[in-house]
Amino acid sequence: QMQLTESGGDSVQVGGSLRLACVVSGYTLTWSSTYCMGWFRQAPGREREGVATIDSRGHSEHRASVEGRFTISRDNVKNTLYLEMNSLKPDDSAMYYCAAVDEGQYGGRSFCEPDFTGMDIWGKGTLVTISS
């Protein structure tokens, strides 16, 4: 059973950078893996939203508000999902979660995008706070 553990959250100033990591255990990532993976975030009083996703073939999608500032990536050797975050803004403050779902449940990879709400494996989150 896949398990996800996030790290890298911190308190930084506006304009700063962070790299979040999500270590995958209980499963070995390869380029024949069939998991859609992503980063999601939830700020106090707000609904959870998708930030970025990457499918089993490495195709990534980012929500518009982070496009050009955030980059999702996978390292199969390290069995880790990353989120590189630059030019951070106060609105980026949130708990960030790593999530995954087997693409086989949906018959393909086209669903794998930040608006997808069917992720069924979740980490416990890492807190990002941006101060001005």
Side-chain angles (χ1 to χ4, degrees), residues 56-120:
S56 60
R57 292 298 178 263
H59 175 74
S60 62
E61 297 277 354
H62 299 75
R63 71 179 298 110
S65 63
V66 307
E67 190 75 55
R69 300 189 298 121
F70 291 11
T71 304
I72 189 172
S73 62
R74 281 170 51 175
D75 186 330
N76 291 344
V77 174
K78 295 184 178 180
N79 231 37
T80 301
L81 182 75
Y82 295 102
L83 184 68
E84 188 76 36
M85 306 190 296
N86 298 307
S87 301
L88 285 161
K89 304 176 181 180
D91 281 352
D92 296 321
S93 296
M95 186 70 81
Y96 282 71
Y97 299 91
C98 175
V101 65
D102 189 340
E103 293 168 349
Q105 298 183 44
Y106 297 92
R109 303 186 301 275
S110 61
F111 72 92
C112 188
E113 57 182 21
D115 288 339
F116 178 67
T117 59
M119 297 292 193
D120 59 10

Side-chain angles (χ1 to χ4, degrees), residues 5-49:
T5 305
E6 305 94 335
S7 64
D10 204 348
S11 179
V12 297
Q13 292 190 329
V14 169
S17 299
L18 284 173
R19 187 175 77 159
L20 305 184
C22 171
V23 175
V24 178
S25 58
Y27 183 86
T28 300
L29 290 176
T30 68
W31 288 117
S32 62
S33 299
T34 59
Y35 279 88
C36 165
M37 302 188 71
W39 288 96
F40 295 76
R41 67 187 181 187
Q42 187 167 21
R46 300 179 67 174
E47 291 188 357
R48 185 173 63 199
E49 63 182 17

